[in-house]
């Protein structure tokens, strides 16, 4: 390492007013000594700068992906650092004296100080909370295979829990830029309640990805929005109660929504108003169905083997239509669907992720070296979790390997049994790799040699379980006070508008059953129960919707 040159570069960057520096040496994943020394020199010469050190964030090969990850970390580090500092100051002013933790994209929490230095681990932390809660609520309801469908105002996020495990990837991309840190495998598209509709020059109806956002929001919010949105279309179809939006806290302007949709969608398409609104819903539903297929069909899984768990402000409104299109027999609408991701963060364990590159043919790998690397990562994970305040008895670790057939570029991650890494362990892992490759890509080659690429270890610190409240037991028929009123709601499968009851979800009891069509209103979300679906309320208030 040319230390004099490092000092020269540090002074030049300081003179240029640089705020954040990404430090990434070619082979620091194998030996970080020079990178750490360069970081120390930067701290001496330019202590005001935020420095992101690649070997502290990613200890893996693939220099481009590691550099991209470090650069993204450096890009957001000042902003996230200022935000977390401000948040901690406000909490202190309000006499909050407990530690602050931040959710990660991998579905585990870390201390705010760790998040301040490695914010790249938190990029998808919000949707990750929803994915964690999807697995928890699904398991509690007896469904180990669940598709998490989170439709908000701007985007839709889809996650997958298979056999009780939420899929995590280490090959994610944000706006085309690779990020080499573990993230829950979430497929996001620009489709939400605020997605804007327009008709292009050749007469094609487009919905999204542009969004009205929260401000000004849909036309019906009366806050200056002029372009019709998916929410406006649902209002025109009668699926939203304009007098009970947000539990009655906000009245909607139905007339303005109809006028905007008529002028900007119906007339250009030459369609009646209702058919234009239905067309908008069909377009956005098709986009969301493709997102679900991306995590199921394209991964060798059949959607009909899963339960669709719908949350977010708009998810329960569209879930049954998606279930019908994808042949999914059950939809689960959980408690507090509008705040479901926040609930998931209360269920999240402490988590630290570690990786070491160990590129070698499986037939020639040094078993003692592999075992030693795992032991080193166990010690790192234990030390980190103890520093977080986790009791030693609550700490556990899980091991995995990235493997590939010799000559392949991309890897498959498989779990490694606990215990000493031996030839028997290697045989078990090899069999699991072939099965995973068959499941993912539709073929496998058990006779072909394989390579080990990277070792992975996840350290977890269990948090106390959250006890969900239970509802009073009711009869099969909902209590009369649960019915707010009756209204006309459009369902294409029924041939037009039909009369159905609007129920207040907060007044439904455990064991209550409904037959579609019906609308269930909640403070955070509206659930549409179409004809052909039935509904049952569970003891914890979750609603199971089934196709008849």
């Amino acid at each position: 390492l040319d230390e004099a040159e490092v000092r020269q570069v540090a002074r030049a960057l300081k003179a240029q007013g640089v705020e954040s520096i990404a430090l990434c040496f070619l082979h620091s994943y194998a030996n970080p000594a020079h990178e750490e020394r360069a970081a120390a020199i930067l701290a001496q010469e330019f202590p005001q700068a935020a420095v992101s050190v690649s070997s502290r964030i990613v200890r893996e090969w693939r220099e481009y992906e590691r550099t991209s990850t470090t650069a993204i970390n450096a890009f957001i580090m000042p902003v996230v650092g200022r935000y977390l500092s401000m948040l901690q100051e406000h909490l202190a002013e309000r006499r909050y004296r407990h530690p602050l933790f931040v959710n990660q994209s991998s579905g585990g929490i870390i201390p705010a100080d760790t998040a301040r230095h490695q914010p790249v681990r938190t990029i998808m932390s919000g949707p990750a909370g929803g994915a964690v809660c999807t697995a928890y609520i699904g398991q509690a309801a007896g469904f180990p295979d669940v598709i998490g469908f989170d439709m908000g105002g701007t985007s839709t996020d889809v996650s997958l829990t298979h056999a009780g495990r939420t899929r995590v990837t280490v090959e994610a991309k944000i706006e085309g830029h690779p990020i080499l840190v573990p993230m829950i495998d979430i497929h996001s598209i620009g489709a939400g309640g605020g997605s804007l509709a327009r008709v292009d020059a050749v007469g094609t109806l487009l919905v999204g990805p542009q969004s009205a956002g929260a401000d000004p929001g849909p036309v019906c919010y009366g806050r200056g929005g002029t372009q019709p949105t998916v929410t406006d279309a649902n209002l025109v179809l009668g699926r939203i109660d304009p007098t009970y939006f947000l539990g009655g806290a906000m009245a909607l302007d139905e007339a303005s929504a109809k006028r905007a949709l008529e002028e900007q969608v119906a007339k250009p398409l030459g369609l009646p108003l209702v058919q234009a609104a239905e067309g908008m819903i069909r377009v956005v539903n098709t986009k969301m169905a493709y997102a679900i297929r991306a995590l199921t069909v394209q991964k060798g899984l059949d959607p009909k083997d899963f339960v669709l768990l719908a949350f977010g402000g708009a998810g329960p409104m569209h879930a049954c239509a998606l279930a019908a299109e994808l042949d999914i027999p059950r939809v689960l609408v959980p408690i507090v669907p509008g705040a479901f991701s926040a609930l998931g963060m209360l269920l999240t364990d402490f988590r630290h992720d570690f990786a070491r590159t160990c590129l070698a043919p499986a037939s020639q790998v040094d078993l003692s070296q592999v075992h030693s690397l795992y032991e080193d990562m166990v010690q790192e994970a234990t030390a980190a979790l103890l520093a977080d305040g986790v009791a030693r008895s609550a700490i556990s670790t899980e091991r995995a390997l990235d493997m590939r057939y010799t000559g392949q570029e991309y890897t498959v991650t498989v779990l490694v049994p606990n215990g000493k890494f031996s030839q028997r362990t290697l045989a078990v892992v090899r069999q699991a790799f072939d099965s995973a490759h068959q499941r993912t890509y539709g073929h496998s080659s058990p006779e072909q040699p394989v390579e080990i690429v990277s070792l992975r270890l996840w350290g977890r610190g269990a948090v106390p379980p959250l006890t969900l409240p239970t509802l009073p037991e009711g009869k099969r028929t909902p209590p009369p006070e649960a019915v707010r009123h009756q209204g006309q709601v459009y369902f294409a499968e029924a041939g037009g508008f039909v009369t159905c009851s609007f129920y207040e979800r907060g007044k439904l009891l455990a064991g209550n059953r409904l037959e579609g069509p019906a609308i269930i209103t909640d403070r955070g979300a509206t659930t549409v129960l179409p004809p052909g679906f039935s509904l049952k309320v569970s003891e914890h208030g979750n609603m199971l919707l089934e196709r008849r």
Side-chain angles (χ1 to χ4, degrees):
L1 179 68
D2 188 338
E3 296 193 5
E5 186 179 7
V6 175
R7 293 185 186 279
Q8 181 182 353
V9 170
R11 292 165 186 165
L13 294 175
K14 184 177 182 179
Q16 294 172 28
V18 166
E19 186 178 21
S20 187
I21 299 170
L23 182 58
C24 189
F25 288 1
L26 190 61
H27 297 295
S28 60
Y29 71 91
N31 185 350
H34 286 169
E35 201 171 74
E36 288 292 347
R37 178 58 185 153
I41 294 172
L42 284 170
Q44 294 170 3
E45 298 289 341
F46 192 4
Q48 301 86 356
V51 179
S52 298
V53 183
S54 77
S55 55
R56 299 176 188 173
I57 301 170
V58 183
R59 283 290 298 271
E60 296 182 58
W61 75 325
R62 297 186 184 277
E63 62 270 17
Y64 174 73
E65 289 84 352
R66 180 160 44 88
T67 302
S68 171
T69 304
T70 309
I72 290 171
N73 192 81
F75 182 73
I76 62 177
M77 188 174 174
V79 177
V80 175
R82 286 192 291 268
Y83 173 79
L84 290 176
S85 295
M86 179 184 67
L87 178 59
Q88 288 178 308
E89 289 173 6
H90 286 322
L91 290 172
E93 290 172 0
R94 288 158 178 75
R95 299 182 181 179
Y96 181 84
R97 298 290 182 262
H98 301 283
L100 175 65
F101 298 97
V102 179
N103 202 41
Q104 299 180 83
S105 306
S106 61
I109 56 174
I110 51 176
D113 286 341
T114 303
R116 184 180 284 107
H117 291 96
Q118 297 188 18
V120 70
R121 297 186 180 277
T122 70
I123 283 180
M124 293 291 284
S125 59
V132 169
C133 207
T134 292
Y136 178 86
I137 295 295
Q139 287 275 45
F143 302 121
D145 299 322
V146 186
I147 299 167
F149 167 55
D150 178 6
M151 183 181 179
T154 300
S155 65
T156 291
D157 301 310
V158 180
S159 62
L160 196 75
T161 298
H162 184 40
R165 295 184 65 91
T166 301
R167 179 180 289 163
V168 176
T169 181
V170 291
E171 296 180 348
K173 289 187 177 182
I174 299 292
E175 289 294 320
H177 301 291
I179 295 184
L180 207 59
V181 296
M183 302 175 67
I184 290 179
D185 195 1
I186 296 172
H187 191 84
S188 299
I189 60 170
S195 293
L196 299 172
R198 64 196 183 283
V199 179
D200 68 11
V202 296
T204 301
L205 174 61
L206 305 174
V207 182
Q210 296 82 5
S211 174
D215 187 14
V219 175
C220 62
Y221 282 12
R223 294 180 175 175
T226 59
Q227 194 170 342
T229 67
V230 172
T231 296
D232 294 309
N234 276 311
L235 180 62
V236 168
L237 297 175
R239 296 171 182 176
I240 300 174
D241 185 347
T243 66
Y244 199 66
F245 195 69
L246 296 177
M250 179 179 177
L252 299 181
D253 185 350
E254 187 174 3
S256 293
K258 288 182 176 179
R259 187 163 52 250
L261 206 149
E262 177 73 42
E263 294 173 356
Q264 299 181 47
V265 179
K267 286 183 179 178
L269 291 175
L271 292 175
L273 175 64
V274 170
Q275 274 69 42
E278 171 66 14
M280 288 174 56
I281 300 303
R282 288 175 60 188
V283 168
V284 78
N285 283 350
T286 298
K287 294 175 67 173
M288 294 186 294
Y290 279 128
I292 293 173
R293 289 188 179 101
L295 282 189
T296 53
V297 176
Q298 293 180 23
K299 305 287 187 180
L301 301 170
D302 192 334
K304 73 173 182 292
D305 297 331
F306 289 76
V307 170
L308 184 65
L309 193 147
F311 58 101
M317 194 175 301
H318 293 255
C320 287
L322 289 176
E325 180 170 342
L326 296 167
D327 202 25
I328 298 173
R330 298 184 186 91
V331 172
L332 189 63
V333 179
I335 56 173
V336 292
F340 195 69
S341 294
L343 176 61
M345 295 181 190
L346 300 178
L347 302 167
T348 303
D349 291 333
F350 291 86
R351 174 168 173 152
H352 290 274
D353 300 277
F354 302 89
R356 296 289 185 272
T357 293
C358 182
L359 185 59
S363 60
Q364 301 174 22
V365 70
D366 186 336
L367 299 178
S368 61
Q369 180 192 17
V370 171
H371 184 74
S372 177
L373 288 172
Y374 274 130
E375 287 301 303
D376 290 345
M377 288 189 284
V378 167
Q379 292 180 15
E380 281 190 68
T382 302
L385 291 166
L386 289 173
D388 293 346
V390 178
R392 190 177 291 274
S393 60
I395 294 175
S396 63
T397 59
E398 192 171 26
R399 305 185 299 179
L401 277 177
D402 288 353
M403 301 181 72
R404 65 186 182 186
Y405 292 117
T406 301
Q408 279 190 328
E409 173 67 15
Y410 294 101
T411 61
V412 173
T413 303
V414 292
L415 295 178
V416 175
N418 290 326
K420 188 174 180 62
F421 197 88
S422 63
Q423 285 291 349
R424 182 179 179 183
T425 308
L426 198 56
V428 171
V429 170
R430 170 60 198 263
Q431 187 176 12
F433 166 77
D434 288 326
S435 298
H437 200 281
Q438 178 72 38
R439 184 170 59 251
T440 304
Y441 298 108
H443 66 91
S444 61
S445 303
E447 71 286 353
Q448 293 294 322
V450 295
E451 293 177 324
I452 293 174
V453 178
S454 295
L455 315 181
R456 300 193 180 279
L457 183 132
W458 308 304
R460 299 179 186 272
V463 300
L466 187 68
T467 302
L468 298 176
T470 57
L471 292 183
E473 189 70 27
K475 298 179 180 179
R476 184 183 181 92
T477 303
E481 60 270 21
V483 181
R484 283 187 48 78
H485 61 80
Q486 288 193 326
Q488 295 292 305
V489 181
Y490 182 89
F491 292 101
E493 56 268 48
F497 281 94
V498 296
T499 302
C500 64
S501 297
F502 282 65
Y503 292 85
E504 189 172 344
R505 184 173 182 179
K507 294 181 179 178
L508 295 176
L509 304 174
N512 285 169
R513 295 175 181 265
L514 296 173
E515 298 292 331
I519 305 293
I520 301 91
T521 59
D522 195 1
R523 181 174 180 82
T526 295
T527 301
V528 174
L529 185 70
F533 280 81
S534 62
L535 179 152
K536 181 181 179 181
V537 183
S538 77
E539 62 175 334
H540 294 296
N542 301 312
M543 299 188 300
L544 182 64
L545 289 58
E546 296 187 89
R547 294 172 60 201
R548 291 197 298 271

